[in-house]
Amino acid sequence: ELKVEQNPLFLSMQEGKNYTIYCNYSTTSDRLYWYRQDPGKSLESLFVLLSNGAVKQEGRLMASLDTKARLSTLHITAAVHDLSATYFCAVDSNTGNQFYFGTGTSLTVIP
Amino acid sequence: KAGVTQTPRYLIKTRGQQVTLSCSPISGHRSVSWYQQTPGQGLQFLFEYFSETQRNKGNFPGRFSGRQFSNSRSEMNVSTLELGDSALYLCASSLGRVNEAFFGQGTRLTVV
C-alpha cells in the first residue's frame, strides 16, 4: 500500500518567517495534491502537481514535486496569521481517483 | 457554480443502527470518492465511483457500502454502526483521473 509521510506534524512559526513542509511517498506516482483544512471545515484544494519538476505558486505558498525522489514540498514565504490551518498532501494511486493522504501538518502562525 | 453538497451535515446514531449519507457532485463530474476522517487514523479512502461503477475500494469492512446513480449522485451506507465509526465523512468529486478533486463540507457522524 502506498504510504505518505508528512513532516513536521506540528509547526508553530512567527509571522514573517519562511518554512517548508515535506511530503514523502513510498511508490511511484506523478500526481500529488496539496489541501488546506481549517478547523471543522472541509478540504480546500491548493495545488495540483502532475509531473516531475512541477512548481506552482499562489500567494505566499509554493509547491513543488520531485517524482524521482518521491518528494513534494510546500514552502511558506513570510507567513501571516491567515495561513494557520492544517495542510495535507495526497498522492493519487494509479488505479483511479484514490488518494492516499499524509498525516497533515498543523500550522500555527503567531503574530 | 455549485460545489459538492453533502447531506446531512450532522448525524447522531445509536450502535447497531444503519445510516445513509448522500453526496451530490459538481455538475458534470462523474467521479465521486468517499473518505473517512478521524483524529486517530487521519483521512482514509473508502471507495470511488465513476459512471455508476465502483472502481476502487479501500480497506474497510463490508458494513461500508456505496452506490452511484445515473445523475452521478452518490450514497454511502454504513450498517450495524460501531462507536469507532464516529468520524467526518467527506465526499469528493472530479471530472475523472488526473483531475482536481473538490471536497464537500462533510457529514459529521456520531455513534453513541
Side-chain angles (χ1 to χ4, degrees), chain B residues 5-47:
Chain B
T5 303
Q6 289 187 246
T7 57
R9 292 290 310 278
Y10 302 92
L11 266 178
I12 300 176
K13 289 286 188 178
T14 305
R15 274 181 301 174
Q17 287 187 314
Q18 75 165 18
V19 67
T20 299
L21 312 182
S22 179
C23 173
S24 293
I26 292 171
S27 178
H29 285 193
R30 296 163 66 189
S31 171
V32 174
S33 303
W34 289 88
Y35 293 84
Q36 181 195 66
Q37 186 176 27
T38 60
Q41 299 298 317
L43 280 151
Q44 294 185 286
F45 172 79
L46 281 155
F47 26 67

Side-chain angles (χ1 to χ4, degrees), chain A residues 31 35 42 45 95 97 99, chain B residues 35 37 56 94 97 100-101 104:
Chain A
R31 294 184 293 279
Y35 286 90
S42 186
S45 178
T95 59
N97 283 356
F99 288 1
Chain B
Y35 293 84
Q37 186 176 27
N56 290 293
S94 71
R97 290 196 69 210
E100 192 172 5

Side-chain angles (χ1 to χ4, degrees), chain A residues 1 29-31 33-35 37 39-48 50 86 88-103, chain B residues 6 9-10 31 33 35 37 42-45 47-48 55-59 88 90-91 93-106 108:
Chain A
E1 182 180 295
S29 176
D30 55 4
R31 294 184 293 279
Y33 307 82
W34 283 96
Y35 286 90
Q37 186 176 39
K41 305 289 186 180
S42 186
L43 296 168
E44 174 191 353
S45 178
L46 294 175
F47 299 107
V48 179
L50 299 177
T86 299
F88 291 93
C89 64
V91 178
D92 191 4
S93 71
N94 291 323
T95 59
N97 283 356
Q98 178 174 350
F99 288 1
Y100 292 86
F101 281 87
T103 50
Chain B
Q6 289 187 246
R9 292 290 310 278
Y10 302 92
S31 171
S33 303
Y35 293 84
Q37 186 176 27
L43 280 151
Q44 294 185 286
F45 172 79
F47 26 67
E48 184 234 356
R55 286 202 299 196
N56 290 293
K57 190 177 190 317
N59 190 25
L88 178 66
L90 292 165
C91 159
S93 81
S94 71
L95 286 168
R97 290 196 69 210
V98 200
N99 292 109
E100 192 172 5
F102 297 89
F103 283 80
Q105 292 299 306
R108 172 77 60 185

Side-chain angles (χ1 to χ4, degrees), chain A residues 5-95:
Chain A
E5 291 185 353
Q6 257 182 267
N7 66 83
L9 295 183
F10 299 95
L11 177 56
S12 180
M13 55 191 298
Q14 287 188 313
E15 278 191 334
K17 298 293 186 182
N18 304 333
Y19 208 84
T20 301
I21 298 171
Y22 297 88
C23 174
N24 291 89
Y25 53 97
S26 61
T27 61
T28 302
S29 176
D30 55 4
R31 294 184 293 279
L32 190 133
Y33 307 82
W34 283 96
Y35 286 90
R36 166 183 172 145
Q37 186 176 39
D38 291 291
K41 305 289 186 180
S42 186
L43 296 168
E44 174 191 353
S45 178
L46 294 175
F47 299 107
V48 179
L49 303 170
L50 299 177
S51 62
N52 185 42
V55 178
K56 291 198 174 178
Q57 182 163 6
E58 180 72 34
R60 300 174 187 274
L61 301 177
M62 183 174 71
S64 66
L65 177 62
D66 181 344
T67 59
K68 292 177 182 174
R70 298 175 188 169
L71 170 69
S72 179
T73 60
L74 180 66
H75 187 71
I76 303 157
T77 302
V80 294
H81 180 69
D82 285 352
L83 290 179
S84 296
T86 299
Y87 293 84
F88 291 93
C89 64
V91 178
D92 191 4
S93 71
N94 291 323
T95 59

Side-chain angles (χ1 to χ4, degrees), chain B residues 46-63:
Chain B
L46 281 155
F47 26 67
E48 184 234 356
Y49 288 87
F50 184 86
S51 295
E52 302 179 67
T53 300
Q54 186 182 88
R55 286 202 299 196
N56 290 293
K57 190 177 190 317
N59 190 25
F60 278 82
R63 300 184 296 107

